[in-house]
Amino acid sequence: MTDDRKTTVPVWTLATADVRVSGVTAGESMTAERLAELRGVLAVLADQPIVTLEAHPLPDKIDRGRGIPLDAASPLAQHLSQFITQSTRTSLTTARATASGENLYRMVVPAKVAAQFGQGLVRPMVPKGAAGGIYGELVSSTGRIASKARFVPVGGAAAAGTAGGAGATAGAAAAGGTALTVAAPLVLMAVAVGVSAHADRKRQQAIEHITQLLEQLQEEKLDDEHSELDGCRDAIDKATAILLDQGKLGVSLGLDSAVHAINTALGKADRRLARWQSALDGLPEGEAVELGTLTKSFPGVDDHGGTFRAHLELASLAVALKRRVVALQAVEHAQSEPGNPFENFTRALKRDQQRLDELESGIAAVLVRLSALELARPNGLRPVFTTGEVDRLMSAAHRIHQLGAGVSVSGRPMDVAIEIARGKDGSVTVFPALPV
């Protein structure tokens, strides 16, 4: 996808309910920029959630280990296979693009629609040692398609209602405009798995950071917190596999005890956040702060390790695990009432994630406030300080100022991309949802 030849990329416009919109023309090629504009227009004009689905060639090298694999019998893989099969019967462009059986499908959810299932679910992730964040195989560091592709919209009316499952059958639509493909189950499952993969990726990052910090600190209480949270993964993984196969959750999975442990950790994070906010409120406004005063409320804030940074990572781990649980609960709720799966899904996500958004926003605000503090010279009788004392103060100031780097407090919803690698046997791997 890096050569100068223009690859033909089929693009479908998918709705989660019967809807007609004007201005959607099939068969006319467009640029990536024009496609982005189209997504924005559709999000404004339509009353129902609308996403686009692109079919790109599968890259030669792709790290499937960072995604969630699903076999060909899973509902998402079946919905996608049925959709592709029907589309190839009505579109030569689709037939040619998918002839190999191996493709990377990219579902883009516009910002307006993404906000319906929660602006806090998908945030940029910055891996250790990299400033550009995590991007998919098709996305450059600017967030745009890296290859020079020619996007060709595929007519939706001919394929309407072919995605299978509840809510997929297109009924009578309003007169005028173009009828879009109704594929609620396909959209629901793709969003659910992409969000779950994103949350698990954040869990992995938090685990890596916590392990390093606790090896330095050697604090048993924090190590116990870490172990209890990390022990929740097995139950969540099993519940994910069962729900994504449209099974029923049972008590034997241990999900209830895992949720209790996660909620306990979130309660600790809430209390720590309240103490941090109170400590910052108690500092004299506009005045420099002594390092010793600061480390009483934020132990280790001046170092690479430290209890404060361990508390931050434990909070991040608890939030990541809870977001996976929230996605699972939303899928279960939607599947229990198949008549309107996407609406149930978004309602469940909104209710449960508000607390997580507030916690993350509160922690981000604390980090920004800390990074803006000015450190004062230590009080003492000596007029001159040693070189070591000066170096420590400068190093501490640099580390504290870095706390605010990369922190996002705006919460502005962004377009979300979910990439799905499909093999010849129909199995799929869903990669972490990405902000575009």
Side-chain angles (χ1 to χ4, degrees):
M1 297 293 292
T2 58
D3 57 29
D4 292 331
R5 293 173 297 177
K6 286 195 174 183
T7 305
T8 299
V9 176
V11 179
W12 297 270
T13 307
L14 309 181
T16 57
D18 293 336
V19 63
R20 283 180 179 265
V21 294
S22 59
V24 181
T25 304
E28 295 183 4
S29 63
M30 61 178 67
T31 62
E33 290 78 7
R34 179 70 181 88
L35 178 59
E37 293 174 0
L38 175 62
R39 283 195 295 263
V41 171
L42 290 173
V44 172
L45 294 180
D47 295 330
Q48 299 294 332
I50 293 178
V51 304
T52 57
L53 181 67
E54 309 160 14
H56 295 264
L58 189 67
D60 295 332
K61 295 182 180 179
I62 186 168
D63 182 12
R64 295 178 183 270
R66 66 184 183 87
I68 294 181
L70 299 172
D71 61 34
S74 65
L76 174 58
Q78 288 185 344
H79 291 318
L80 184 58
S81 295
Q82 293 169 13
F83 180 81
I84 296 167
T85 299
Q86 182 63 29
S87 295
T88 56
R89 295 172 183 168
T90 57
S91 170
L92 183 58
T93 298
T94 302
R96 288 172 175 170
T98 60
S100 67
E102 293 183 315
N103 291 90
L104 187 64
Y105 293 88
R106 190 168 188 261
M107 181 179 291
V108 180
V109 184
K112 176 186 174 182
V113 180
Q116 296 182 32
F117 60 82
Q119 61 187 33
L121 277 175
V122 178
R123 297 180 187 275
M125 294 184 291
V126 181
K128 186 178 179 181
I134 293 178
Y135 301 97
E137 279 67 24
L138 295 178
V139 185
S140 67
S141 60
T142 61
R144 294 187 177 184
I145 299 291
S147 63
K148 294 182 178 180
R150 183 170 60 95
F151 297 89
V152 180
V154 180
T162 61
T169 302
T178 301
L180 302 183
T181 304
V182 182
L186 177 59
V187 175
L188 166 66
M189 298 304 290
V191 169
V193 187
V195 166
S196 185
H198 177 89
D200 192 57
R201 181 66 178 173
K202 295 193 74 173
R203 179 200 63 81
Q204 293 174 23
Q205 289 183 349
I207 287 290
E208 292 172 3
H209 296 159
I210 292 171
T211 301
Q212 294 175 359
L213 289 171
L214 295 185
E215 285 176 354
Q216 300 172 26
L217 289 172
Q218 296 182 343
E219 289 196 18
E220 292 185 4
K221 289 184 178 180
L222 292 181
D223 193 52
D224 289 342
E225 284 187 48
H226 170 219
S227 298
E228 190 169 8
L229 279 175
D230 198 29
C232 299
R233 181 191 175 188
D234 185 58
I236 294 175
D237 284 348
K238 289 178 180 176
T240 301
I242 289 174
L243 271 182
L244 295 181
D245 285 336
Q246 290 189 334
K248 298 293 183 182
L249 298 182
V251 179
S252 61
L253 284 176
L255 190 60
D256 288 346
S257 58
V259 171
H260 174 73
I262 295 169
N263 288 340
T264 300
L266 289 173
K268 291 180 180 179
D270 283 329
R271 290 191 294 275
R272 287 165 181 160
L273 174 59
R275 289 199 297 269
W276 297 337
Q277 291 170 331
S278 177
L280 288 171
D281 292 340
L283 296 177
E285 188 175 353
E287 297 182 17
V289 182
E290 284 194 30
L291 183 59
T293 301
L294 199 60
T295 54
K296 288 180 181 179
S297 300
F298 304 90
V301 70
D302 58 328
D303 202 351
H304 286 301
T307 303
F308 172 66
R309 294 175 189 266
H311 286 165
L312 289 176
E313 295 298 340
L314 285 168
S316 177
L317 175 58
V319 169
L321 289 169
K322 184 65 174 180
R323 290 209 186 277
R324 284 200 71 183
V325 171
V326 168
L328 290 177
Q329 292 171 335
V331 172
E332 184 180 29
H333 186 61
Q335 289 180 348
S336 66
E337 190 178 338
N340 57 346
F342 200 84
E343 288 78 0
N344 283 331
F345 180 72
T346 53
R347 279 198 298 269
L349 286 178
K350 281 184 178 180
R351 282 197 306 269
D352 295 333
Q353 74 176 344
Q354 185 175 356
R355 176 192 177 190
L356 301 179
D357 290 343
E358 291 174 353
L359 176 59
E360 284 192 320
S361 297
I363 291 175
V366 165
L367 294 178
V368 170
R369 291 177 68 181
L370 279 172
S371 67
L373 291 177
E374 179 185 353
L375 292 184
R377 294 178 54 184
N379 288 326
L381 298 176
R382 291 180 296 133
V384 179
F385 297 97
T386 66
T387 302
E389 290 173 329
V390 173
D391 288 344
R392 184 191 173 216
L393 185 62
M394 294 181 64
S395 178
H398 174 72
R399 292 194 179 108
I400 291 171
H401 291 161
Q402 285 295 107
L403 287 172
V407 173
S408 175
V409 294
S410 65
R412 180 177 60 87
M414 305 172 68
D415 288 1
V416 173
I418 301 165
E419 294 175 0
I420 306 171
R422 181 176 184 268
K424 291 183 179 179
D425 62 352
S427 63
V428 298
T429 301
V430 185
F431 298 101
L434 308 165
V436 179

